[in-house]
Amino acid sequence: MKFRAVMNDGINIKEFLNVISTFSRMQKNLIINVQPGKLLLQIESEAYDGQYLWCEIDATLRDGFFSEYLMDGIDTEHNQIYMTCIAASFLRALSYVRNNSVEYIKLKLIKTHMPCLAVEMSTTITNEQDVLTPKIQHAIPVTVVPRSEWNQYEIPLEVEYDLSIAMPTGKSLRGLLDKKKNLAPTVTLYATLNDELSLVVETEVVTVASHYRNLKCVPAHKPGPDADANPTNLSEACCRVDTKKLAALFETINFYDVIMTANIRHEQALNIRFDMRQHAFVNYILPATNFE
């Protein structure tokens, strides 16, 4: 098995740090799935209740997120690598770039006395006499997941949704959900083909609704070869989800330039997708809930 990836674009490096930071606040363990054409980062999904959070980074473009990307999986038939690590350890290894610029970050799977993900970065320090380019190196212990356990980390890539609607700013939603989570345990999101998004919480005493208008709403793109067939006949879709879980996501995200979209499977699931630059995105799926 081999894995080596290099990032040398400053904004991509910061975005990668933000993804790891977001995930480390959501869950203790981070799963890294290395594939020939992409790198997936995901938290240990609460599969028993349908909650998933993952980031997918396209690795096929040399002018994309990675300037270099090489890998060999466990064998030719199963050309992937799954490994797990402590998310906070990964975040500490990257922490230098939070307030400092670096020329590159290199990730490499190595084996000393145990498997580790090596994180190397180079920076430039200038004093009155010399220009120094020290290297900063960390080795994060990882557990390589055997092939027999890969199915534990499968994510739902082919979910069909009914409506897709553009989202308002993260800052707006963060403040709104922070207030709503103290009113009721659930919040219902309504999207309509009239380009309106509503967030509604209900208690025994009061119903509080917040409305956003002029947001583009379209029938959701369906995965697979029949993507253009049988579009939804719904003009409105809604999903009732856990208020605190949705609020927790917007409390932790901190991306530079992102387009947010909500995909709703009527009364079944909510998907929030964050499209970042250079063919990378974060997906968050919350199942519908019925508790009062």
Side-chain angles (χ1 to χ4, degrees):
M1 290 185 299
K2 291 192 295 186
F3 169 59
R4 171 190 168 100
V6 178
M7 293 175 280
N8 52 26
D9 179 275
I11 296 180
N12 287 343
I13 289 171
K14 294 282 190 180
E15 288 289 50
F16 190 79
L17 170 68
N18 289 336
V19 170
I20 301 301
S21 177
T22 296
F23 284 24
S24 69
R25 296 178 197 177
M26 299 291 284
Q27 257 284 2
K28 175 183 177 182
N29 294 326
L30 180 71
I31 298 101
I32 305 169
N33 176 210
V34 182
Q35 299 184 22
K38 59 187 176 183
L39 179 72
L40 279 84
L41 305 166
Q42 59 191 96
I43 64 169
E44 277 193 321
S45 59
E46 299 178 24
Y48 60 87
D49 68 359
Q51 178 179 331
Y52 299 89
L53 175 65
W54 76 94
C55 174
E56 181 174 317
I57 303 173
D58 189 324
T60 60
L61 304 173
R62 292 290 74 87
D63 59 347
F65 223 89
F66 299 111
S67 57
E68 182 180 334
Y69 186 90
L70 301 169
M71 64 83 62
D72 281 320
I74 59 170
D75 57 45
T76 54
E77 184 180 356
H78 305 100
N79 192 21
Q80 297 186 45
I81 303 170
Y82 276 89
M83 49 187 161
T84 65
C85 70
I86 304 299
S89 299
F90 204 163
L91 183 61
R92 281 194 296 270
L94 297 170
S95 60
Y96 180 82
V97 306
R98 190 181 302 279
N99 299 309
N100 301 277
S101 61
V102 296
E103 295 179 5
Y104 68 84
I105 286 183
K106 178 167 65 178
L107 308 174
K108 185 177 181 181
L109 181 60
I110 62 173
K111 185 173 183 179
T112 51
H113 60 286
M114 65 182 299
C116 290
L117 183 65
V119 179
E120 177 186 300
M121 59 192 79
S122 177
T123 186
T124 300
I125 300 175
T126 305
N127 58 29
E128 294 180 357
Q129 297 177 334
D130 301 301
V131 177
L132 306 176
T133 55
K135 291 183 179 179
I136 302 168
Q137 297 178 319
H138 298 269
I140 307 166
V142 298
T143 300
V144 176
V145 181
R147 172 70 186 88
S148 59
E149 298 177 14
W150 285 6
N151 63 338
Q152 298 179 25
Y153 305 112
E154 291 180 353
I155 50 181
L157 299 175
E158 301 296 319
V159 178
E160 292 188 3
Y161 295 96
D162 294 301
L163 295 183
S164 293
I165 188 166
M167 296 283 281
T169 65
K171 183 178 180 180
S172 169
L173 289 168
R174 186 181 302 118
L176 184 66
L177 289 167
D178 186 57
K179 296 174 183 176
K180 289 188 182 297
K181 71 180 182 183
N182 297 318
L183 292 175
T186 62
V187 58
T188 304
L189 282 79
Y190 293 88
T192 76
L193 289 178
N194 292 326
D195 297 337
E196 181 172 323
L197 175 70
S198 301
L199 286 78
V200 180
V201 295
E202 299 178 73
T203 71
E204 294 180 354
V205 178
V206 66
T207 296
V208 181
S210 303
H211 304 283
Y212 294 92
R213 295 183 173 86
N214 301 317
L215 300 172
K216 186 176 181 181
C217 182
V218 297
H221 174 77
K222 298 194 181 294
D226 299 325
D228 297 325
N230 300 320
T232 181
N233 58 2
L234 296 177
S235 60
E236 177 181 297
C238 68
C239 187
R240 188 184 190 196
V241 298
D242 187 307
T243 314
K244 289 185 177 179
K245 288 183 178 180
L246 187 60
L249 175 69
F250 285 96
E251 287 170 0
T252 59
I253 59 168
N254 182 30
F255 302 131
Y256 283 96
D257 184 17
V258 68
I259 298 172
M260 294 190 299
T261 307
N263 300 298
I264 299 175
R265 186 170 186 177
H266 187 54
E267 297 183 343
Q268 294 187 52
L270 169 69
N271 164 231
I272 307 291
R273 175 170 166 136
F274 304 84
D275 281 286
M276 300 183 290
R277 64 200 303 265
Q278 303 290 5
H279 303 283
F281 62 86
V282 170
N283 252 334
Y284 185 52
I285 294 178
L286 270 177
T289 183
N290 294 314
F291 70 78
E292 298 294 337

